[in-house]
Amino acid sequence: MSDTPIKQQNTAAFYGQAVASFGIAMAAATIGIFRLNADAWVRAFLAIAVLYLVTSAFTLAKVIRDRQEAGRIVSRVDQARLEKLLAEHDPFEKL
């Protein structure tokens, strides 16, 4: 009656694509900032902004993942409670 959910895992190709995409994007932003015709303080400000954006994106991804995992755990607990109630219920028991 209880089905164990299959844990979905990313393929190695998807993981590699994500890492490569992140590396290329960071390299392009870094090269673009350093080749920019601007004062050093402008380039430094842009570099700090890019680093802040990256750390914020990682934090957001972690928060979303944690919320999704917590919802999955609550759902499994609710499902277990329902299965217990159904298993203990006797429809022919006199009230």
Side-chain angles (χ1 to χ4, degrees):
M1 178 166 252
S2 75
D3 297 333
T4 304
I6 298 172
K7 185 175 181 181
Q8 294 180 346
Q9 293 185 355
N10 295 328
T11 63
F14 180 76
Y15 180 76
Q17 178 187 2
V19 170
S21 175
F22 175 76
I24 291 169
M26 281 299 291
T30 303
I31 291 169
I33 288 171
F34 284 115
R35 300 212 17 112
L36 185 66
N37 274 340
D39 292 336
W41 71 269
V42 173
R43 290 195 308 258
F45 175 79
L46 291 174
I48 296 283
V50 167
L51 290 176
Y52 181 61
L53 180 63
V54 168
T55 58
S56 296
F58 278 116
T59 302
L60 178 62
K62 182 186 179 312
V63 167
I64 291 171
R65 183 200 65 204
D66 291 347
R67 180 179 284 179
Q68 182 182 12
E69 287 178 355
R72 195 177 304 152
I73 290 170
V74 168
S75 174
R76 291 190 72 195
V77 168
D78 288 343
Q79 181 67 30
R81 286 181 184 156
L82 177 63
E83 287 179 6
K84 181 182 177 197
L85 285 173
L86 289 174
E88 291 175 350
H89 176 68
D90 184 8
F92 299 110
E93 179 183 331
K94 283 190 173 184
L95 296 176

